[in-house]
Amino acid sequence: MKFLLFFLTIFVFFNSCTSQKKEITDEELITLNNFKIDKQKINDSVIKINARKENYVFSGIQNKNGKEGWWKLYNDSDKKLIAEIQFLPDGKYDYPNQIIKYKNGKIDFSKSKFYKKTIKDNRIIYKVFYPSENNDQKQDLTFYYYINSKPKEYKKAEVTKEDNYYTFNVDCNEVKNLIGIFTISTDSKNYIMKEAKMKIDDTLNNACR
């Protein structure tokens, strides 16, 4: 009897370990491989998607160009938010422009990339949060933006690095629509170049008034 109880204890322990759910990767959320897809037609060009895998639900809007706007990943049992991803159409690829991941109800900055903006002294101040790189890497920070959506009129903003984010600002009166690309280029001691980009697209009409 003691041997049987010991065997059952070991069996339950290993079964519980193997049954633990693996964390869903960003690639799975982009491709939706192995998800069960429920579709709800909003109109002729827009579909609401609820994608399910195990106890996870990933929901958002899809149009003829693919996923668009903010999608949410949550646990279906307790409805806790796990992640939010902003998709931008990029040809045949759904580009995850901003990713916000949560841990214990708070933003996990080590796994998130997103931006926020505030207005002060007639300037729009952007803060870009990005996972930290190794200290041995040289970083080149740039933000080029178009003025009022005219490709021939663009400027480069000065970007500085703070404790856990990057920041730059633009004149409120200079632009009505700001479209730009924030780029981090890193070069390590091993001469391995890596580049990360984030698109910032804001309508700033009367933003400072």
Side-chain angles (χ1 to χ4, degrees), residues 167-209:
T167 184
F168 57 90
N169 62 82
V170 298
D171 190 337
C172 280
N173 300 317
E174 183 181 58
V175 292
K176 294 181 180 179
N177 299 289
L178 184 144
I179 300 176
I181 300 293
F182 174 76
T183 305
I184 304 175
S185 299
T186 59
D187 192 1
S188 70
K189 294 179 180 179
N190 297 322
Y191 303 101
I192 300 175
M193 178 69 75
K194 183 171 65 175
E195 189 173 75
K197 293 184 177 181
M198 182 186 301
K199 182 179 180 181
I200 295 178
D201 188 346
D202 276 337
T203 299
L204 304 175
N205 293 332
N206 301 319
C208 297
R209 296 182 179 88

Side-chain angles (χ1 to χ4, degrees), residues 29-118:
L29 296 177
I30 294 170
T31 63
L32 294 183
N33 288 340
N34 301 318
F35 277 79
K36 180 182 178 181
I37 309 297
D38 295 324
K39 298 182 179 180
Q40 178 184 354
K41 184 177 178 180
I42 304 299
N43 54 46
D44 291 339
S45 58
V46 178
I47 297 174
K48 173 69 181 295
I49 298 289
N50 283 314
R52 297 176 182 272
K53 181 179 180 182
E54 297 176 348
N55 205 37
Y56 297 108
V57 178
F58 190 46
S59 63
I61 296 297
Q62 179 176 298
N63 58 30
K64 61 182 179 180
N65 297 317
K67 300 185 194 70
E68 190 166 19
W70 283 95
W71 285 54
K72 293 185 178 183
L73 175 69
Y74 60 91
N75 190 311
D76 197 26
S77 61
D78 58 16
K79 306 303 180 185
K80 287 186 177 179
L81 189 61
I82 300 171
E84 295 178 282
I85 301 180
Q86 180 203 35
F87 286 100
L88 296 179
D90 187 20
K92 296 181 179 180
Y93 181 72
D94 296 330
Y95 179 68
N97 189 54
Q98 298 186 75
I99 301 175
I100 303 177
K101 295 192 175 183
Y102 297 90
K103 185 176 182 180
N104 299 324
K106 297 181 179 180
I107 295 177
D108 185 353
F109 290 95
S110 66
K111 297 181 180 179
S112 300
K113 62 162 190 170
F114 64 99
Y115 68 85
K116 291 183 176 182
K117 71 172 182 278
T118 57

